[in-house]
Amino acid sequence: MSHLLLHFDGDITNNHTISLRSLGNSLVHLQAAVNRAHLDTRYGEVWKGARLKHEDYEETELWSRPPQEGGYVIDFVNDSPRIKKTLARMIDAITPAVEKSRSKALATAGSLAQQSDLKKEQIRVGIIEPQPLAEYLPTASQMPYGDRAINKEIDLLIGVVRTPNAGQSTVELQIGGDRSSTFKFNRIQSENFHALVSKRALGNPLLFSAKVMELDSKNRTSRIYNITTEREIKISFADEQSFNQIKPYLGVNVPMSFIGCPIYEGGTFDSKGGDIFFISLA
């Protein structure tokens, strides 16, 4: 029997009860993490904005058992072979992130705009050369985006112990199936995990060919159609000057060639639908 167990303890509980807000938020993100792991194991990948199909719902159902004593404890079970693979995928994603968050101090990379200035200078002096996206794609799976997608939901789940009123509370997640693991977080451990999975950094520059679909001048972003991957993606810009460079391409049937850097989130990048930071026109 496969199972997921959540154990809340400390100031966020009261006489073996927990608030609807804390429990509801945690359960939403626990189910979302299961969904991401299922998509990754069933389809071989998970991409930004991916959603379950109708037939996926039955394979991601876990059923609650009566709450247990000890702070507040609730667990969910399912005996299907598919859910075992899904839960094992969750363990594979969470374990290295927890280990890294406990053992390594995270270096501050600066804002994305500051990082883009460094990339521009490295291109100018010949330290790095932009690589065509088509050449980059075969290597993109070396850092699976599925890890980031799962850990993003776990981070939101354990955020319950980062709230101002959480005090010395803890949240524990037990995952059981063919393999079993237990992950326990207090405030500091939750903050370290958050710092790791939310860290954003620019990858090496790539050459893109795209059509501009829409512009958002307020947020200095744009939606483009990536001709290579045939997906719509978002681009961000460092300043108004760089944003203005692509305006002539809006609404015209002429592809725009540009240099951009993939935005890595938690050390991973969705090669098909991930966000890009604009460097310059090519």
Side-chain angles (χ1 to χ4, degrees):
M1 181 74 70
S2 300
H3 79 278
L4 285 173
L5 180 146
L6 281 177
H7 178 191
F8 303 90
D9 204 1
D11 294 345
I12 56 174
T13 66
N14 180 21
N15 194 27
H16 306 302
T17 65
I18 190 170
S19 73
L20 171 62
R21 180 178 292 106
S22 296
L23 179 61
N25 183 67
S26 298
L27 295 183
V28 164
H29 294 298
L30 181 60
Q31 180 65 65
V34 171
N35 294 349
R36 293 306 197 201
H38 169 77
L39 290 171
D40 207 29
T41 56
R42 176 161 184 169
Y43 301 105
E45 63 178 337
V46 59
W47 53 93
K48 206 159 192 173
R51 296 291 182 267
L52 296 183
K53 298 178 181 179
H54 176 74
E55 59 268 24
D56 293 318
Y57 280 88
E58 185 176 353
E59 296 185 347
T60 54
E61 295 282 17
L62 290 112
W63 297 90
S64 66
R65 293 194 286 198
Q68 307 171 29
E69 291 190 4
Y72 183 87
V73 182
I74 186 168
D75 66 341
F76 304 86
V77 296
N78 185 313
D79 60 0
S80 75
R82 171 70 67 177
I83 205 72
K84 289 182 179 180
K85 294 180 180 179
T86 297
L87 299 187
R89 181 65 184 92
M90 290 178 65
I91 291 172
D92 289 341
I94 301 169
T95 300
V98 168
E99 292 174 350
K100 289 178 183 177
S101 70
R102 289 174 178 172
S103 63
K104 294 183 179 179
L106 297 177
T108 302
S111 70
L112 294 184
Q114 291 171 328
Q115 293 178 52
S116 72
D117 288 339
L118 176 59
K119 297 294 185 184
K120 289 178 184 178
E121 181 63 16
Q122 290 175 328
I123 294 171
R124 187 186 70 81
V125 300
I127 294 176
I128 53 177
E129 182 177 346
Q131 179 186 21
L133 177 62
E135 294 179 7
Y136 162 80
L137 287 175
T139 67
S141 62
Q142 293 176 2
M143 289 187 160
Y145 184 76
D147 284 12
R148 157 67 180 169
I150 294 166
N151 285 325
K152 178 181 178 181
E153 301 299 339
I154 298 301
D155 176 43
L156 292 168
L157 186 163
I158 65 176
V160 66
V161 298
R162 298 195 297 264
T163 60
N165 297 325
Q168 300 301 312
S169 298
T170 60
V171 57
E172 178 179 290
L173 170 63
Q174 292 182 18
I175 305 175
D178 288 338
R179 290 184 288 143
S180 298
S181 289
T182 299
F183 307 97
K184 187 173 183 178
F185 302 88
N186 57 24
R187 179 187 296 276
I188 294 176
Q189 291 164 337
S190 177
E191 289 173 348
N192 290 344
F193 189 86
H194 173 74
L196 177 73
V197 302
S198 64
K199 183 180 179 181
R200 304 174 83 211
L202 297 185
N204 284 334
L206 302 171
L207 289 167
F208 293 85
S209 180
K211 294 181 180 179
V212 180
M213 309 299 291
E214 65 179 55
L215 299 174
D216 181 349
S217 57
K218 180 179 179 180
N219 297 305
R220 283 206 301 265
T221 62
S222 172
R223 300 294 302 180
I224 64 170
Y225 178 77
N226 186 332
I227 293 174
T228 303
T229 62
E230 300 181 334
R231 292 275 186 92
E232 283 194 23
I233 59 174
K234 185 175 83 171
I235 319 178
S236 297
F237 299 83
D239 50 39
E240 197 70 24
Q241 182 180 0
S242 60
F243 181 72
N244 289 336
Q245 289 184 43
I246 77 163
K247 286 184 176 180
Y249 291 93
L250 177 63
V252 300
N253 200 31
V254 178
M256 172 184 69
S257 296
F258 72 98
I259 300 171
C261 291
I263 300 176
Y264 279 77
E265 301 175 277
T268 67
F269 174 66
D270 175 7
S271 59
K272 294 183 178 179
D275 297 346
I276 304 297
F277 202 91
F278 182 85
I279 301 299
S280 68
L281 292 175

